[in-house]
């Protein structure tokens, strides 16, 4: 786009300011806490004495914790891949009435708050729960079940949407040459889907290795991962040095996984068909579909239905008392305020966090979707885009711990301002918001702003009337996702929230930790409330998408 000299300078200045604001935000919420965390891990106030680091890293307990973290994440990823792949075939390759509803149902767990679902699963596997007869109880099996519950939809949606739009000609050619259905899948279909499966698999592994609230609620103190150990060393033993070292180990693990994900995700599946490559449900599919339906119902529907049922019972009797108690500040000594007050705090905080995240994401999107006129600016733009994504590779617990070290005292004491938790939640939601808005902005026809410029519109007017107007809808959808993430955020918030104003996820955790019937019933009702708030926003977001999951 050719601009006059004055407009050129103003345009470049505006882009520079747009880039500077997210960079300053990232410096505050990521770089400063991460560097401080690094200093603590390598010796802290005593200087760069690596003695503590060497002692902690060489301790058998440390490697036991690392091994447990890896074992749980690998097991959950493998099971999620198997069930997700089968679900992708069922929901995207077969055509039947109600398919879109089932797709939405399978996608629900991923956007539900982990602490509320974990609380429900804890009750489900208890002695009096619907699955108590399995004898699972708190421990690794329950943790893996919860991880699979949340992440199956990632495999199903990513693989299914790609599988449904593969070019069918290679498969048809192999069939004409006499290859069996299994041989066609193994030799033709599978190699084209592996890049997608490998990429989403590494992301699922990353989610599972940082599943803080799942382990905290379902382990009952019997299982320790890097995330829970960071929390314990900070809040129970006040050993910030050890917590920092565990955070460094987790950062190394996360970076390694992200590098692997980048390499495995380089390949692309051949999406050569614009129309869905599916077929009607046949009689030969019924046995497999029946087994898969039962499996998905057990995995997804049973935990949700059990939580809903428990929210209406107390001491084995049907009652509305659990929901009535949500409005009472004195209903239980476990909470200093009512659950509804906690819900209000969560909604306000999530709105603030989502707004911050979307503003930063919009500025980032404007910068990274420009068309540089030199190779140097192209590299700068790519570097900027990668830097903004850095918080994606850091767990929420590490973010919260970094905030605790840096932003709750001099020189930047934000603890009394009320913005500490929104900033932490915004840093967690920012990468997702950027990744949702950038592809939408890149879909804008470049001829539109060029034509407006040729007709005499100033760069500012082009930006306001074309770019920002086009970005408004993706920004609204990104806001909805950021709101949902912030509503259910538990890891960073558990470090930073003020005791008298807990968020709803923290209130649920405090209720679950109490064995009383009142607390357990209120926890179930509060979980339903949190799920409805989050799912309601996500339903509005999903209403703005087409059946393929793209923005309308």
């Amino acid at each position: 786009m050719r601009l006059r000299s004055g407009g050129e300078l103003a345009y470049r200045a505006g882009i520079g300011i747009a880039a500077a604001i997210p960079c300053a935000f990232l410096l505050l919420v990521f770089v400063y806490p991460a560097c401080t965390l690094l200093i603590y891990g390598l010796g802290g106030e005593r200087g760069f004495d690596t003695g503590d680091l060497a002692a902690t890293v060489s301790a058998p307990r440390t490697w036991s914790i690392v091994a447990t973290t890896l074992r749980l994440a690998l097991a959950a990823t493998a099971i999620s891949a198997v069930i997700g792949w089968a679900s992708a075939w069922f929901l995207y390759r077969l055509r039947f009435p109600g398919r879109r509803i089932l797709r939405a149902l399978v996608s629900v767990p991923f956007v539900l708050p982990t602490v509320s679902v974990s609380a429900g699963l804890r009750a489900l596997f208890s002695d009096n729960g619907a699955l108590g007869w399995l004898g699972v109880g708190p421990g690794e099996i329950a943790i893996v079940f919860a991880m699979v519950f949340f992440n199956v939809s990632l495999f199903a949606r990513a693989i299914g949407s790609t599988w449904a739009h593969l070019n069918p000609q290679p498969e048809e050619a192999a069939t004409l040459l006499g290859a069996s259905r299994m041989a066609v899948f193994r030799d033709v279909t599978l190699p084209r889907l592996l890049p997608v499966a490998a990429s989403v698999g590494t992301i699922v592994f990353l989610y599972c290795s940082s599943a803080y609230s799942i382990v905290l609620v379902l382990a009952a103190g019997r299982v320790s991962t890097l995330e829970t150990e960071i929390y314990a060393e900070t809040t129970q033993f006040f050993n910030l040095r050890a917590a920092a070292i565990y955070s460094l180990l987790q950062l190394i693990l996360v970076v390694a996984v992200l590098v692997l994900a980048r390499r495995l995700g380089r390949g692309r599946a051949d999406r050569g068909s614009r129309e869905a490559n599916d077929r009607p449900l046949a009689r030969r599919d019924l046995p497999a579909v029946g087994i898969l339906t039962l499996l998905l119902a057990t995995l997804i529907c049973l935990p949700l239905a059990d939580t809903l049922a428990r929210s209406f019972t107390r001491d084995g009797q049907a009652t509305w008392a659990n929901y009535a108690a949500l409005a009472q500040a004195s209903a239980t000594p476990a909470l200093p305020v009512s659950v509804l007050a906690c819900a209000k705090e969560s909604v306000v905080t999530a709105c603030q966090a989502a707004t911050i995240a979307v503003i930063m994401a919009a500025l980032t999107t404007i910068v990274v979707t420009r068309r540089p006129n030199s190779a140097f600016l192209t590299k700068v733009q790519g570097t900027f885009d990668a830097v903004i994504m850095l918080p994606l590779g850091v767990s929420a617990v590490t973010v919260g711990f970094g905030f605790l070290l840096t932003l709750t005292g001099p020189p930047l004491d934000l603890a009394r301002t009320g913005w500490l938790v929104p900033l932490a939640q915004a840093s967690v939601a920012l990468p997702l918001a950027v990744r949702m808005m950038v592809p939408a902005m890149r879909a804008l026809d470049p001829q539109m702003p060029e034509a407006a410029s040729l007709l005499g519109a100033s760069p500012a007017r082009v930006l306001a009337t074309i770019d920002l107007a086009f970005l408004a809808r993706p920004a609204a959808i990104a806001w909805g996702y950021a709101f949902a993430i912030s509503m259910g955020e538990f890891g960073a918030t558990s470090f930073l929230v003020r005791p008298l104003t807990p968020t709803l996820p923290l209130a649920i955790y405090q209720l679950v930790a109490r064995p009383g019937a009142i607390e357990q019933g209120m926890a179930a009702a509060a979980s339903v409330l949190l799920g409805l708030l989050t799912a309601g926003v996500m339903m509005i977001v999903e209403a703005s998408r087409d059946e393929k999951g793209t923005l309308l």
Side-chain angles (χ1 to χ4, degrees):
M1 181 166 57
R2 300 184 61 86
L3 301 172
R4 292 168 294 188
S5 58
E8 179 88 27
L9 292 175
Y11 176 77
R12 291 185 177 181
I15 295 299
I17 294 174
I21 295 176
C23 284
F25 175 77
L26 195 67
L27 181 67
L28 174 67
V29 302
F30 180 78
V31 177
Y32 177 41
C35 290
T36 303
L37 190 63
L38 178 63
I39 293 173
Y40 264 81
L42 295 178
E45 297 174 352
R46 297 197 301 266
F48 288 96
D49 179 8
T50 58
D52 289 339
L53 177 63
T56 303
V57 171
S58 61
R61 173 173 169 76
T62 299
W63 290 107
S64 174
I65 293 171
V66 172
T68 300
T69 303
L70 294 176
R71 181 173 65 252
L72 293 174
L74 286 172
T77 302
I79 298 173
S80 298
V82 172
I83 300 177
W85 206 297
S87 301
W89 167 78
F90 175 38
L91 298 174
Y92 289 86
R93 293 284 290 181
L94 300 181
R95 188 168 61 250
F96 54 89
R99 180 175 66 171
R100 187 170 184 177
I101 296 176
L102 286 180
R103 287 182 184 177
L105 179 62
V106 171
S107 300
V108 163
F110 183 69
V111 300
L112 290 178
T114 56
V115 66
S116 61
V117 175
S118 299
L121 290 175
R122 178 171 173 169
L124 188 67
F125 287 115
S126 66
D127 294 338
N128 298 324
L131 296 181
W133 57 273
L134 293 175
V136 172
E140 293 191 5
I141 295 178
I143 292 171
V144 171
F145 186 96
M147 291 178 177
V148 174
F149 171 86
F150 283 107
N151 292 298
V152 159
S153 63
L154 288 180
F155 277 103
R157 192 161 191 167
I159 296 175
S161 60
T162 303
W163 197 352
H165 292 84
L166 287 177
N167 187 345
Q169 294 181 353
E171 295 177 350
E172 294 171 353
T175 302
L176 289 176
L177 292 174
S180 64
R181 293 173 58 192
M182 183 59 67
V184 170
F185 175 78
R186 182 187 66 241
D187 299 330
V188 181
T189 306
L190 183 60
R192 295 191 291 167
L193 293 177
L194 279 180
V196 176
S199 180
V200 71
T202 54
I203 300 301
V204 168
F205 176 87
L206 187 62
Y207 282 143
C208 293
S209 65
S210 59
Y212 168 62
S213 58
I214 292 176
V215 179
L216 194 65
V217 174
L218 292 175
R222 303 177 186 178
V223 180
S224 293
T225 62
L226 286 172
E227 295 259 320
T228 59
E229 200 66 17
I230 294 170
Y231 180 79
E233 293 289 349
T234 303
T235 61
Q236 297 178 18
F237 306 115
F238 304 103
N239 189 349
L240 299 184
R241 189 71 44 75
I245 294 172
Y246 284 124
S247 296
L248 290 177
L249 292 176
Q250 187 184 54
L251 283 173
I252 294 172
L253 173 64
V254 167
V255 169
V257 172
L258 288 177
V259 170
L260 180 63
R262 186 177 181 86
R263 291 186 177 181
L264 293 177
R266 287 177 178 175
R268 293 185 177 181
D270 176 21
R271 295 172 63 96
S273 174
R274 294 183 61 86
E275 298 298 327
N277 184 19
D278 53 15
R279 61 174 176 81
L281 180 67
R283 180 172 296 180
R284 68 173 184 269
D285 301 319
L286 293 181
V289 168
I291 295 174
L292 189 57
T293 301
L294 179 62
L295 181 61
L296 290 176
T298 303
L299 178 64
I300 296 175
C301 297
L302 184 59
L304 300 178
D306 182 74
T307 300
L308 182 62
R310 286 187 300 103
S311 71
F312 288 102
T313 60
R314 181 183 292 181
D315 290 326
Q317 302 294 323
T319 179
W320 288 90
N322 295 326
Y323 285 94
L326 298 184
Q328 301 171 7
S330 59
T332 171
L335 298 175
V337 295
S338 69
V339 173
L340 290 185
C342 297
K344 179 182 177 181
E345 179 71 17
S346 286
V347 171
V348 172
T349 303
C351 288
Q352 294 170 339
T355 302
I356 295 171
V358 168
I359 290 174
M360 297 301 163
L363 294 173
T364 301
T365 301
I366 291 171
V367 174
V368 301
T369 56
R370 301 302 93 185
R371 295 173 180 265
N373 52 14
S374 69
F376 173 75
L377 290 178
T378 301
K379 291 182 179 180
V380 171
Q381 187 184 60
T383 302
F384 174 76
D385 189 17
V387 168
I388 293 296
M389 291 295 103
L390 284 176
L392 181 64
V394 181
S395 75
V397 168
T398 301
V399 170
F401 182 44
F403 270 54
L404 185 67
L405 291 178
T406 56
L407 301 180
T408 57
L412 297 174
D413 188 357
L414 299 180
R416 299 179 181 180
T417 65
W419 286 99
L420 199 60
V421 175
L423 286 174
Q425 293 181 352
S427 69
V428 173
L430 175 60
L432 176 63
V434 171
R435 288 278 72 87
M436 294 185 67
M437 295 170 68
V438 167
M441 191 63 183
R442 284 176 174 162
L444 174 64
D445 187 353
Q447 295 181 355
M448 295 177 62
E450 290 176 358
S453 178
L454 291 175
L455 291 173
S458 66
R461 186 172 182 181
V462 171
L463 181 64
T465 59
I466 297 180
D467 292 347
L468 293 182
F470 185 82
L471 195 60
R473 191 167 190 176
I477 295 175
W479 191 94
Y481 271 87
F483 176 87
I485 291 174
S486 300
M487 278 292 295
E489 207 288 315
F490 182 80
T493 307
S494 62
F495 282 85
L496 305 173
V497 73
R498 290 174 288 186
L500 296 180
T501 56
T503 59
L504 192 50
L506 283 170
I508 293 172
Y509 174 69
Q510 293 173 13
L511 290 169
V512 170
R514 297 271 184 140
I518 294 176
E519 286 78 9
Q520 295 301 311
M522 289 180 61
S527 297
V528 173
L529 175 62
L530 181 55
L532 289 175
L533 289 173
T534 306
V537 173
M538 295 312 303
M539 287 178 63
I540 297 174
V541 170
E542 288 297 327
S544 300
R545 293 174 174 266
D546 61 17
E547 190 176 15
K548 298 177 184 178
T550 56
L551 298 176
L552 288 175

